[in-house]
PDB file of all heavy atoms in Angstrom:
ATOM      1  N   ILE V   1     129.372 118.640  77.356  1.00  0.00           N
ATOM      2  CA  ILE V   1     129.889 118.033  78.594  1.00  0.00           C
ATOM      3  C   ILE V   1     128.944 116.944  79.089  1.00  0.00           C
ATOM      4  O   ILE V   1     127.742 117.147  79.220  1.00  0.00           O
ATOM      5  CB  ILE V   1     130.105 119.107  79.680  1.00  0.00           C
ATOM      6  CG1 ILE V   1     131.350 119.940  79.358  1.00  0.00           C
ATOM      7  CG2 ILE V   1     130.251 118.473  81.064  1.00  0.00           C
ATOM      8  CD1 ILE V   1     131.620 121.078  80.326  1.00  0.00           C
ATOM      9  N   TYR V   2     129.501 115.795  79.347  1.00  0.00           N
ATOM     10  CA  TYR V   2     128.763 114.631  79.853  1.00  0.00           C
ATOM     11  C   TYR V   2     128.673 114.770  81.370  1.00  0.00           C
ATOM     12  O   TYR V   2     129.692 114.775  82.065  1.00  0.00           O
ATOM     13  CB  TYR V   2     129.520 113.373  79.444  1.00  0.00           C
ATOM     14  CG  TYR V   2     128.903 112.053  79.823  1.00  0.00           C
ATOM     15  CD1 TYR V   2     127.562 111.767  79.558  1.00  0.00           C
ATOM     16  CD2 TYR V   2     129.682 111.061  80.426  1.00  0.00           C
ATOM     17  CE1 TYR V   2     127.013 110.542  79.891  1.00  0.00           C
ATOM     18  CE2 TYR V   2     129.142 109.827  80.746  1.00  0.00           C
ATOM     19  CZ  TYR V   2     127.806 109.581  80.488  1.00  0.00           C
ATOM     20  OH  TYR V   2     127.259 108.351  80.814  1.00  0.00           O
ATOM     21  N   THR V   3     127.470 114.923  81.894  1.00  0.00           N
ATOM     22  CA  THR V   3     127.329 115.246  83.319  1.00  0.00           C
ATOM     23  C   THR V   3     127.889 114.156  84.227  1.00  0.00           C
ATOM     24  O   THR V   3     128.350 114.449  85.332  1.00  0.00           O
ATOM     25  CB  THR V   3     125.865 115.534  83.688  1.00  0.00           C
ATOM     26  OG1 THR V   3     125.066 114.359  83.462  1.00  0.00           O
ATOM     27  CG2 THR V   3     125.306 116.686  82.866  1.00  0.00           C
ATOM     28  N   HIS V   4     127.861 112.901  83.783  1.00  0.00           N
ATOM     29  CA  HIS V   4     128.431 111.816  84.603  1.00  0.00           C
ATOM     30  C   HIS V   4     129.945 111.958  84.761  1.00  0.00           C
ATOM     31  O   HIS V   4     130.536 111.339  85.664  1.00  0.00           O
ATOM     32  CB  HIS V   4     128.122 110.456  83.985  1.00  0.00           C
ATOM     33  CG  HIS V   4     126.677 110.047  84.098  1.00  0.00           C
ATOM     34  ND1 HIS V   4     125.803 110.612  84.991  1.00  0.00           N
ATOM     35  CD2 HIS V   4     125.959 109.101  83.430  1.00  0.00           C
ATOM     36  CE1 HIS V   4     124.614 110.055  84.867  1.00  0.00           C
ATOM     37  NE2 HIS V   4     124.681 109.143  83.926  1.00  0.00           N
ATOM     38  N   SER V   5     130.578 112.753  83.887  1.00  0.00           N
ATOM     39  CA  SER V   5     132.031 112.922  83.994  1.00  0.00           C
ATOM     40  C   SER V   5     132.410 113.831  85.158  1.00  0.00           C
ATOM     41  O   SER V   5     133.575 113.877  85.558  1.00  0.00           O
ATOM     42  CB  SER V   5     132.603 113.484  82.686  1.00  0.00           C
ATOM     43  OG  SER V   5     132.146 114.807  82.446  1.00  0.00           O
ATOM     44  N   ILE V   6     131.436 114.541  85.722  1.00  0.00           N
ATOM     45  CA  ILE V   6     131.730 115.415  86.866  1.00  0.00           C
ATOM     46  C   ILE V   6     132.088 114.605  88.105  1.00  0.00           C
ATOM     47  O   ILE V   6     133.118 114.869  88.744  1.00  0.00           O
ATOM     48  CB  ILE V   6     130.561 116.386  87.116  1.00  0.00           C
ATOM     49  CG1 ILE V   6     130.410 117.322  85.908  1.00  0.00           C
ATOM     50  CG2 ILE V   6     130.775 117.198  88.397  1.00  0.00           C
ATOM     51  CD1 ILE V   6     129.114 118.067  85.853  1.00  0.00           C
ATOM     52  N   PRO V   7     131.298 113.567  88.481  1.00  0.00           N
ATOM     53  CA  PRO V   7     131.759 112.713  89.587  1.00  0.00           C
ATOM     54  C   PRO V   7     133.054 111.976  89.275  1.00  0.00           C
ATOM     55  O   PRO V   7     133.865 111.736  90.175  1.00  0.00           O
ATOM     56  CB  PRO V   7     130.590 111.743  89.826  1.00  0.00           C
ATOM     57  CG  PRO V   7     129.651 111.909  88.690  1.00  0.00           C
ATOM     58  CD  PRO V   7     129.907 113.257  88.101  1.00  0.00           C
ATOM     59  N   TRP V   8     133.301 111.635  88.005  1.00  0.00           N
ATOM     60  CA  TRP V   8     134.587 111.032  87.649  1.00  0.00           C
ATOM     61  C   TRP V   8     135.716 112.002  88.001  1.00  0.00           C
ATOM     62  O   TRP V   8     136.737 111.585  88.552  1.00  0.00           O
ATOM     63  CB  TRP V   8     134.671 110.726  86.157  1.00  0.00           C
ATOM     64  CG  TRP V   8     133.632 109.801  85.611  1.00  0.00           C
ATOM     65  CD1 TRP V   8     132.683 109.104  86.307  1.00  0.00           C
ATOM     66  CD2 TRP V   8     133.434 109.475  84.235  1.00  0.00           C
ATOM     67  NE1 TRP V   8     131.898 108.367  85.453  1.00  0.00           N
ATOM     68  CE2 TRP V   8     132.339 108.576  84.179  1.00  0.00           C
ATOM     69  CE3 TRP V   8     134.052 109.843  83.051  1.00  0.00           C
ATOM     70  CZ2 TRP V   8     131.864 108.052  82.974  1.00  0.00           C
ATOM     71  CZ3 TRP V   8     133.590 109.324  81.843  1.00  0.00           C
ATOM     72  CH2 TRP V   8     132.509 108.433  81.817  1.00  0.00           C
ATOM     73  N   ALA V   9     135.519 113.275  87.660  1.00  0.00           N
ATOM     74  CA  ALA V   9     136.558 114.279  87.892  1.00  0.00           C
ATOM     75  C   ALA V   9     136.817 114.493  89.376  1.00  0.00           C
ATOM     76  O   ALA V   9     137.969 114.592  89.808  1.00  0.00           O
ATOM     77  CB  ALA V   9     136.147 115.600  87.238  1.00  0.00           C
ATOM     78  N   LEU V  10     135.751 114.544  90.172  1.00  0.00           N
ATOM     79  CA  LEU V  10     135.898 114.884  91.587  1.00  0.00           C
ATOM     80  C   LEU V  10     136.239 113.692  92.475  1.00  0.00           C
ATOM     81  O   LEU V  10     136.838 113.869  93.539  1.00  0.00           O
ATOM     82  CB  LEU V  10     134.618 115.554  92.095  1.00  0.00           C
ATOM     83  CG  LEU V  10     134.295 116.926  91.492  1.00  0.00           C
ATOM     84  CD1 LEU V  10     132.998 117.473  92.086  1.00  0.00           C
ATOM     85  CD2 LEU V  10     135.443 117.917  91.717  1.00  0.00           C
ATOM     86  N   HIS V  11     135.868 112.475  92.052  1.00  0.00           N
ATOM     87  CA  HIS V  11     136.050 111.313  92.932  1.00  0.00           C
ATOM     88  C   HIS V  11     136.845 110.183  92.272  1.00  0.00           C
ATOM     89  O   HIS V  11     136.985 109.119  92.892  1.00  0.00           O
ATOM     90  CB  HIS V  11     134.678 110.775  93.369  1.00  0.00           C
ATOM     91  CG  HIS V  11     133.763 111.821  93.910  1.00  0.00           C
ATOM     92  ND1 HIS V  11     133.974 112.446  95.124  1.00  0.00           N
ATOM     93  CD2 HIS V  11     132.642 112.388  93.402  1.00  0.00           C
ATOM     94  CE1 HIS V  11     133.011 113.329  95.344  1.00  0.00           C
ATOM     95  NE2 HIS V  11     132.192 113.326  94.312  1.00  0.00           N
ATOM     96  N   THR V  12     137.351 110.410  91.085  1.00  0.00           N
ATOM     97  CA  THR V  12     138.005 109.446  90.192  1.00  0.00           C
ATOM     98  C   THR V  12     136.943 108.565  89.535  1.00  0.00           C
ATOM     99  O   THR V  12     135.916 108.243  90.143  1.00  0.00           O
ATOM    100  CB  THR V  12     139.064 108.550  90.871  1.00  0.00           C
ATOM    101  OG1 THR V  12     138.415 107.540  91.670  1.00  0.00           O
ATOM    102  CG2 THR V  12     140.030 109.371  91.709  1.00  0.00           C
ATOM    103  N   LYS V  13     137.211 108.190  88.312  1.00  0.00           N
ATOM    104  CA  LYS V  13     136.247 107.402  87.539  1.00  0.00           C
ATOM    105  C   LYS V  13     136.005 106.041  88.198  1.00  0.00           C
ATOM    106  O   LYS V  13     134.867 105.543  88.233  1.00  0.00           O
ATOM    107  CB  LYS V  13     136.754 107.224  86.104  1.00  0.00           C
ATOM    108  CG  LYS V  13     135.757 106.572  85.164  1.00  0.00           C
ATOM    109  CD  LYS V  13     136.286 106.579  83.727  1.00  0.00           C
ATOM    110  CE  LYS V  13     135.278 105.993  82.765  1.00  0.00           C
ATOM    111  NZ  LYS V  13     135.780 106.012  81.366  1.00  0.00           N
ATOM    112  N   GLU V  14     137.068 105.465  88.727  1.00  0.00           N
ATOM    113  CA  GLU V  14     136.957 104.146  89.356  1.00  0.00           C
ATOM    114  C   GLU V  14     135.982 104.172  90.530  1.00  0.00           C
ATOM    115  O   GLU V  14     135.110 103.299  90.657  1.00  0.00           O
ATOM    116  CB  GLU V  14     138.342 103.685  89.824  1.00  0.00           C
ATOM    117  CG  GLU V  14     138.342 102.290  90.448  1.00  0.00           C
ATOM    118  CD  GLU V  14     139.716 101.886  90.950  1.00  0.00           C
ATOM    119  OE1 GLU V  14     140.596 102.764  91.086  1.00  0.00           O
ATOM    120  OE2 GLU V  14     139.902 100.676  91.219  1.00  0.00           O
ATOM    121  N   GLU V  15     136.103 105.182  91.386  1.00  0.00           N
ATOM    122  CA  GLU V  15     135.214 105.287  92.548  1.00  0.00           C
ATOM    123  C   GLU V  15     133.786 105.653  92.146  1.00  0.00           C
ATOM    124  O   GLU V  15     132.816 105.083  92.649  1.00  0.00           O
ATOM    125  CB  GLU V  15     135.754 106.337  93.530  1.00  0.00           C
ATOM    126  CG  GLU V  15     136.912 105.866  94.372  1.00  0.00           C
ATOM    127  CD  GLU V  15     136.541 104.687  95.270  1.00  0.00           C
ATOM    128  OE1 GLU V  15     135.498 104.755  95.956  1.00  0.00           O
ATOM    129  OE2 GLU V  15     137.299 103.697  95.278  1.00  0.00           O
ATOM    130  N   ALA V  16     133.668 106.597  91.228  1.00  0.00           N
ATOM    131  CA  ALA V  16     132.343 107.084  90.838  1.00  0.00           C
ATOM    132  C   ALA V  16     131.509 106.017  90.150  1.00  0.00           C
ATOM    133  O   ALA V  16     130.280 106.002  90.262  1.00  0.00           O
ATOM    134  CB  ALA V  16     132.490 108.302  89.927  1.00  0.00           C
ATOM    135  N   LYS V  17     132.164 105.089  89.450  1.00  0.00           N
ATOM    136  CA  LYS V  17     131.419 104.074  88.707  1.00  0.00           C
ATOM    137  C   LYS V  17     131.094 102.836  89.538  1.00  0.00           C
ATOM    138  O   LYS V  17     130.404 101.935  89.047  1.00  0.00           O
ATOM    139  CB  LYS V  17     132.203 103.676  87.440  1.00  0.00           C
ATOM    140  CG  LYS V  17     132.173 104.762  86.363  1.00  0.00           C
ATOM    141  CD  LYS V  17     132.862 104.320  85.088  1.00  0.00           C
ATOM    142  CE  LYS V  17     132.027 103.319  84.299  1.00  0.00           C
ATOM    143  NZ  LYS V  17     130.805 103.928  83.741  1.00  0.00           N
ATOM    144  N   LYS V  18     131.581 102.794  90.762  1.00  0.00           N
ATOM    145  CA  LYS V  18     131.192 101.685  91.632  1.00  0.00           C
ATOM    146  C   LYS V  18     129.688 101.726  91.864  1.00  0.00           C
ATOM    147  O   LYS V  18     129.112 102.797  92.040  1.00  0.00           O
ATOM    148  CB  LYS V  18     131.937 101.766  92.975  1.00  0.00           C
ATOM    149  CG  LYS V  18     133.410 101.408  92.882  1.00  0.00           C
ATOM    150  CD  LYS V  18     134.076 101.503  94.242  1.00  0.00           C
ATOM    151  CE  LYS V  18     135.549 101.102  94.164  1.00  0.00           C
ATOM    152  NZ  LYS V  18     136.221 101.230  95.475  1.00  0.00           N
ATOM    153  N   LYS V  19     129.070 100.562  91.865  1.00  0.00           N
ATOM    154  CA  LYS V  19     127.608 100.496  91.960  1.00  0.00           C
ATOM    155  C   LYS V  19     127.081 101.239  93.188  1.00  0.00           C
ATOM    156  O   LYS V  19     126.076 101.943  93.134  1.00  0.00           O
ATOM    157  CB  LYS V  19     127.168  99.033  91.998  1.00  0.00           C
ATOM    158  CG  LYS V  19     125.676  98.836  91.819  1.00  0.00           C
ATOM    159  CD  LYS V  19     125.331  97.367  91.677  1.00  0.00           C
ATOM    160  CE  LYS V  19     123.842  97.198  91.450  1.00  0.00           C
ATOM    161  NZ  LYS V  19     123.476  95.758  91.284  1.00  0.00           N
ATOM    162  N   LYS V  20     127.792 101.131  94.305  1.00  0.00           N
ATOM    163  CA  LYS V  20     127.335 101.753  95.546  1.00  0.00           C
ATOM    164  C   LYS V  20     127.422 103.279  95.503  1.00  0.00           C
ATOM    165  O   LYS V  20     126.788 103.968  96.303  1.00  0.00           O
ATOM    166  CB  LYS V  20     128.154 101.229  96.726  1.00  0.00           C
ATOM    167  CG  LYS V  20     129.627 101.638  96.685  1.00  0.00           C
ATOM    168  CD  LYS V  20     130.366 101.160  97.927  1.00  0.00           C
ATOM    169  CE  LYS V  20     131.819 101.622  97.903  1.00  0.00           C
ATOM    170  NZ  LYS V  20     132.553 101.220  99.118  1.00  0.00           N
ATOM    171  N   ASN V  21     128.214 103.803  94.560  1.00  0.00           N
ATOM    172  CA  ASN V  21     128.426 105.256  94.507  1.00  0.00           C
ATOM    173  C   ASN V  21     127.639 105.974  93.413  1.00  0.00           C
ATOM    174  O   ASN V  21     127.601 107.209  93.383  1.00  0.00           O
ATOM    175  CB  ASN V  21     129.921 105.558  94.309  1.00  0.00           C
ATOM    176  CG  ASN V  21     130.723 105.306  95.565  1.00  0.00           C
ATOM    177  OD1 ASN V  21     130.202 105.406  96.677  1.00  0.00           O
ATOM    178  ND2 ASN V  21     131.993 104.964  95.398  1.00  0.00           N
ATOM    179  N   ARG V  22     127.004 105.216  92.517  1.00  0.00           N
ATOM    180  CA  ARG V  22     126.348 105.852  91.372  1.00  0.00           C
ATOM    181  C   ARG V  22     125.222 106.795  91.778  1.00  0.00           C
ATOM    182  O   ARG V  22     124.953 107.788  91.102  1.00  0.00           O
ATOM    183  CB  ARG V  22     125.815 104.775  90.417  1.00  0.00           C
ATOM    184  CG  ARG V  22     126.928 104.018  89.699  1.00  0.00           C
ATOM    185  CD  ARG V  22     126.388 102.886  88.862  1.00  0.00           C
ATOM    186  NE  ARG V  22     127.469 102.039  88.365  1.00  0.00           N
ATOM    187  CZ  ARG V  22     127.289 100.896  87.721  1.00  0.00           C
ATOM    188  NH1 ARG V  22     126.051 100.464  87.480  1.00  0.00           N
ATOM    189  NH2 ARG V  22     128.315 100.187  87.313  1.00  0.00           N
ATOM    190  N   TYR V  23     124.564 106.486  92.879  1.00  0.00           N
ATOM    191  CA  TYR V  23     123.471 107.346  93.357  1.00  0.00           C
ATOM    192  C   TYR V  23     123.728 107.785  94.802  1.00  0.00           C
ATOM    193  O   TYR V  23     122.804 108.104  95.537  1.00  0.00           O
ATOM    194  CB  TYR V  23     122.132 106.601  93.260  1.00  0.00           C
ATOM    195  CG  TYR V  23     121.835 106.100  91.867  1.00  0.00           C
ATOM    196  CD1 TYR V  23     122.073 104.773  91.514  1.00  0.00           C
ATOM    197  CD2 TYR V  23     121.334 106.969  90.897  1.00  0.00           C
ATOM    198  CE1 TYR V  23     121.816 104.334  90.222  1.00  0.00           C
ATOM    199  CE2 TYR V  23     121.072 106.532  89.618  1.00  0.00           C
ATOM    200  CZ  TYR V  23     121.318 105.209  89.287  1.00  0.00           C
ATOM    201  OH  TYR V  23     121.060 104.767  88.011  1.00  0.00           O
ATOM    202  N   ASN V  24     125.008 107.838  95.166  1.00  0.00           N
ATOM    203  CA  ASN V  24     125.390 108.175  96.529  1.00  0.00           C
ATOM    204  C   ASN V  24     125.310 109.682  96.752  1.00  0.00           C
ATOM    205  O   ASN V  24     126.168 110.446  96.299  1.00  0.00           O
ATOM    206  CB  ASN V  24     126.806 107.670  96.809  1.00  0.00           C
ATOM    207  CG  ASN V  24     127.225 107.866  98.247  1.00  0.00           C
ATOM    208  OD1 ASN V  24     126.547 108.532  99.039  1.00  0.00           O
ATOM    209  ND2 ASN V  24     128.357 107.275  98.614  1.00  0.00           N
ATOM    210  N   LYS V  25     124.283 110.135  97.455  1.00  0.00           N
ATOM    211  CA  LYS V  25     124.074 111.564  97.667  1.00  0.00           C
ATOM    212  C   LYS V  25     125.055 112.170  98.675  1.00  0.00           C
ATOM    213  O   LYS V  25     124.978 113.367  98.971  1.00  0.00           O
ATOM    214  CB  LYS V  25     122.635 111.807  98.136  1.00  0.00           C
ATOM    215  CG  LYS V  25     121.588 111.527  97.070  1.00  0.00           C
ATOM    216  CD  LYS V  25     121.767 112.456  95.868  1.00  0.00           C
ATOM    217  CE  LYS V  25     120.708 112.211  94.799  1.00  0.00           C
ATOM    218  NZ  LYS V  25     119.376 112.613  95.214  1.00  0.00           N
ATOM    219  N   ASN V  26     125.969 111.351  99.162  1.00  0.00           N
ATOM    220  CA  ASN V  26     127.029 111.887 100.020  1.00  0.00           C
ATOM    221  C   ASN V  26     128.222 112.374  99.195  1.00  0.00           C
ATOM    222  O   ASN V  26     129.153 112.963  99.741  1.00  0.00           O
ATOM    223  CB  ASN V  26     127.505 110.824 101.019  1.00  0.00           C
ATOM    224  CG  ASN V  26     126.437 110.513 102.054  1.00  0.00           C
ATOM    225  OD1 ASN V  26     125.798 111.422 102.568  1.00  0.00           O
ATOM    226  ND2 ASN V  26     126.235 109.233 102.344  1.00  0.00           N
ATOM    227  N   LEU V  27     128.194 112.082  97.879  1.00  0.00           N
ATOM    228  CA  LEU V  27     129.270 112.504  96.993  1.00  0.00           C
ATOM    229  C   LEU V  27     128.850 113.768  96.252  1.00  0.00           C
ATOM    230  O   LEU V  27     127.835 113.772  95.546  1.00  0.00           O
ATOM    231  CB  LEU V  27     129.611 111.396  95.988  1.00  0.00           C
ATOM    232  CG  LEU V  27     130.112 110.071  96.563  1.00  0.00           C
ATOM    233  CD1 LEU V  27     130.404 109.083  95.437  1.00  0.00           C
ATOM    234  CD2 LEU V  27     131.359 110.289  97.416  1.00  0.00           C
ATOM    235  N   ILE V  28     129.610 114.845  96.384  1.00  0.00           N
ATOM    236  CA  ILE V  28     129.235 116.116  95.771  1.00  0.00           C
ATOM    237  C   ILE V  28     129.163 116.007  94.252  1.00  0.00           C
ATOM    238  O   ILE V  28     128.322 116.654  93.603  1.00  0.00           O
ATOM    239  CB  ILE V  28     130.200 117.248  96.214  1.00  0.00           C
ATOM    240  CG1 ILE V  28     129.760 118.584  95.605  1.00  0.00           C
ATOM    241  CG2 ILE V  28     131.633 116.920  95.856  1.00  0.00           C
ATOM    242  CD1 ILE V  28     128.349 119.015  95.938  1.00  0.00           C
ATOM    243  N   GLY V  29     130.013 115.177  93.656  1.00  0.00           N
ATOM    244  CA  GLY V  29     129.960 114.995  92.202  1.00  0.00           C
ATOM    245  C   GLY V  29     128.633 114.411  91.749  1.00  0.00           C
ATOM    246  O   GLY V  29     128.080 114.812  90.716  1.00  0.00           O
ATOM    247  N   VAL V  30     128.108 113.482  92.520  1.00  0.00           N
ATOM    248  CA  VAL V  30     126.809 112.870  92.210  1.00  0.00           C
ATOM    249  C   VAL V  30     125.691 113.904  92.376  1.00  0.00           C
ATOM    250  O   VAL V  30     124.750 113.961  91.561  1.00  0.00           O
ATOM    251  CB  VAL V  30     126.561 111.646  93.117  1.00  0.00           C
ATOM    252  CG1 VAL V  30     125.150 111.094  92.912  1.00  0.00           C
ATOM    253  CG2 VAL V  30     127.597 110.560  92.841  1.00  0.00           C
ATOM    254  N   ILE V  31     125.780 114.720  93.399  1.00  0.00           N
ATOM    255  CA  ILE V  31     124.773 115.763  93.624  1.00  0.00           C
ATOM    256  C   ILE V  31     124.759 116.752  92.464  1.00  0.00           C
ATOM    257  O   ILE V  31     123.692 117.111  91.940  1.00  0.00           O
ATOM    258  CB  ILE V  31     125.049 116.509  94.947  1.00  0.00           C
ATOM    259  CG1 ILE V  31     124.887 115.555  96.140  1.00  0.00           C
ATOM    260  CG2 ILE V  31     124.124 117.706  95.103  1.00  0.00           C
ATOM    261  CD1 ILE V  31     125.359 116.148  97.458  1.00  0.00           C
ATOM    262  N   ILE V  32     125.941 117.199  92.033  1.00  0.00           N
ATOM    263  CA  ILE V  32     126.031 118.137  90.913  1.00  0.00           C
ATOM    264  C   ILE V  32     125.443 117.512  89.657  1.00  0.00           C
ATOM    265  O   ILE V  32     124.641 118.135  88.939  1.00  0.00           O
ATOM    266  CB  ILE V  32     127.493 118.565  90.673  1.00  0.00           C
ATOM    267  CG1 ILE V  32     128.033 119.348  91.868  1.00  0.00           C
ATOM    268  CG2 ILE V  32     127.608 119.397  89.399  1.00  0.00           C
ATOM    269  CD1 ILE V  32     129.533 119.621  91.799  1.00  0.00           C
ATOM    270  N   ASP V  33     125.819 116.267  89.383  1.00  0.00           N
ATOM    271  CA  ASP V  33     125.323 115.534  88.220  1.00  0.00           C
ATOM    272  C   ASP V  33     123.796 115.499  88.230  1.00  0.00           C
ATOM    273  O   ASP V  33     123.136 115.802  87.228  1.00  0.00           O
ATOM    274  CB  ASP V  33     125.916 114.122  88.247  1.00  0.00           C
ATOM    275  CG  ASP V  33     125.469 113.247  87.073  1.00  0.00           C
ATOM    276  OD1 ASP V  33     124.861 113.784  86.126  1.00  0.00           O
ATOM    277  OD2 ASP V  33     125.723 112.034  87.125  1.00  0.00           O
ATOM    278  N   GLN V  34     123.204 115.151  89.369  1.00  0.00           N
ATOM    279  CA  GLN V  34     121.750 115.030  89.466  1.00  0.00           C
ATOM    280  C   GLN V  34     121.055 116.382  89.268  1.00  0.00           C
ATOM    281  O   GLN V  34     120.065 116.481  88.542  1.00  0.00           O
ATOM    282  CB  GLN V  34     121.352 114.447  90.819  1.00  0.00           C
ATOM    283  CG  GLN V  34     119.843 114.258  91.002  1.00  0.00           C
ATOM    284  CD  GLN V  34     119.248 113.322  89.968  1.00  0.00           C
ATOM    285  OE1 GLN V  34     119.645 112.163  89.883  1.00  0.00           O
ATOM    286  NE2 GLN V  34     118.310 113.828  89.168  1.00  0.00           N
ATOM    287  N   LEU V  35     121.579 117.425  89.891  1.00  0.00           N
ATOM    288  CA  LEU V  35     120.939 118.735  89.766  1.00  0.00           C
ATOM    289  C   LEU V  35     121.060 119.292  88.352  1.00  0.00           C
ATOM    290  O   LEU V  35     120.160 119.990  87.870  1.00  0.00           O
ATOM    291  CB  LEU V  35     121.531 119.709  90.784  1.00  0.00           C
ATOM    292  CG  LEU V  35     121.110 119.455  92.238  1.00  0.00           C
ATOM    293  CD1 LEU V  35     121.899 120.329  93.202  1.00  0.00           C
ATOM    294  CD2 LEU V  35     119.608 119.697  92.425  1.00  0.00           C
ATOM    295  N   LEU V  36     122.157 118.980  87.677  1.00  0.00           N
ATOM    296  CA  LEU V  36     122.290 119.388  86.276  1.00  0.00           C
ATOM    297  C   LEU V  36     121.267 118.670  85.401  1.00  0.00           C
ATOM    298  O   LEU V  36     120.681 119.264  84.486  1.00  0.00           O
ATOM    299  CB  LEU V  36     123.709 119.102  85.765  1.00  0.00           C
ATOM    300  CG  LEU V  36     124.812 120.014  86.305  1.00  0.00           C
ATOM    301  CD1 LEU V  36     126.180 119.497  85.892  1.00  0.00           C
ATOM    302  CD2 LEU V  36     124.630 121.446  85.815  1.00  0.00           C
ATOM    303  N   ARG V  37     121.032 117.398  85.685  1.00  0.00           N
ATOM    304  CA  ARG V  37     120.018 116.656  84.918  1.00  0.00           C
ATOM    305  C   ARG V  37     118.612 117.123  85.268  1.00  0.00           C
ATOM    306  O   ARG V  37     117.722 117.129  84.424  1.00  0.00           O
ATOM    307  CB  ARG V  37     120.187 115.154  85.157  1.00  0.00           C
ATOM    308  CG  ARG V  37     121.396 114.577  84.424  1.00  0.00           C
ATOM    309  CD  ARG V  37     121.538 113.091  84.593  1.00  0.00           C
ATOM    310  NE  ARG V  37     122.072 112.728  85.889  1.00  0.00           N
ATOM    311  CZ  ARG V  37     121.548 111.828  86.703  1.00  0.00           C
ATOM    312  NH1 ARG V  37     120.433 111.195  86.364  1.00  0.00           N
ATOM    313  NH2 ARG V  37     122.121 111.552  87.853  1.00  0.00           N
ATOM    314  N   ASP V  38     118.426 117.550  86.514  1.00  0.00           N
ATOM    315  CA  ASP V  38     117.111 118.072  86.914  1.00  0.00           C
ATOM    316  C   ASP V  38     116.725 119.302  86.095  1.00  0.00           C
ATOM    317  O   ASP V  38     115.557 119.497  85.768  1.00  0.00           O
ATOM    318  CB  ASP V  38     117.117 118.449  88.400  1.00  0.00           C
ATOM    319  CG  ASP V  38     116.983 117.234  89.317  1.00  0.00           C
ATOM    320  OD1 ASP V  38     116.666 116.142  88.812  1.00  0.00           O
ATOM    321  OD2 ASP V  38     117.201 117.385  90.536  1.00  0.00           O
ATOM    322  N   MET V  39     117.701 120.129  85.784  1.00  0.00           N
ATOM    323  CA  MET V  39     117.385 121.358  85.044  1.00  0.00           C
ATOM    324  C   MET V  39     117.354 121.136  83.537  1.00  0.00           C
ATOM    325  O   MET V  39     117.049 122.047  82.772  1.00  0.00           O
ATOM    326  CB  MET V  39     118.410 122.450  85.393  1.00  0.00           C
ATOM    327  CG  MET V  39     119.830 122.169  84.933  1.00  0.00           C
ATOM    328  SD  MET V  39     120.996 123.548  85.264  1.00  0.00           S
ATOM    329  CE  MET V  39     121.155 123.503  87.031  1.00  0.00           C
ATOM    330  N   ASN V  40     117.651 119.898  83.101  1.00  0.00           N
ATOM    331  CA  ASN V  40     117.783 119.627  81.666  1.00  0.00           C
ATOM    332  C   ASN V  40     116.940 118.439  81.230  1.00  0.00           C
ATOM    333  O   ASN V  40     117.344 117.682  80.347  1.00  0.00           O
ATOM    334  CB  ASN V  40     119.266 119.399  81.323  1.00  0.00           C
ATOM    335  CG  ASN V  40     119.557 119.544  79.845  1.00  0.00           C
ATOM    336  OD1 ASN V  40     118.857 120.236  79.118  1.00  0.00           O
ATOM    337  ND2 ASN V  40     120.599 118.869  79.396  1.00  0.00           N
TER     338      ASN V  40
END
């Protein structure tokens, strides 16, 4: 599983890939992605 696909799933790929949203800690998909990478 590609962790970046989690924000795509929760916020749509179009929204998640916008530059302003890639590190947006207000998006739960981005938070999940980051914490998964933290443990890996």
Side-chain angles (χ1 to χ4, degrees):
I1 286 177
Y2 182 49
T3 63
H4 289 342
S5 66
I6 296 165
W8 301 354
L10 294 180
H11 310 290
T12 75
K13 187 174 183 179
E14 182 182 15
E15 283 298 312
K17 287 184 74 68
K18 287 180 178 178
K19 192 172 182 179
K20 66 176 182 178
N21 286 332
R22 291 175 190 173
Y23 304 99
N24 186 351
K25 292 298 181 69
N26 291 317
L27 298 180
I28 182 57
V30 174
I31 295 171
I32 295 171
D33 180 11
Q34 181 60 60
L35 287 171
L36 288 171
R37 286 183 283 130
D38 282 348
M39 66 176 70
N40 198 26

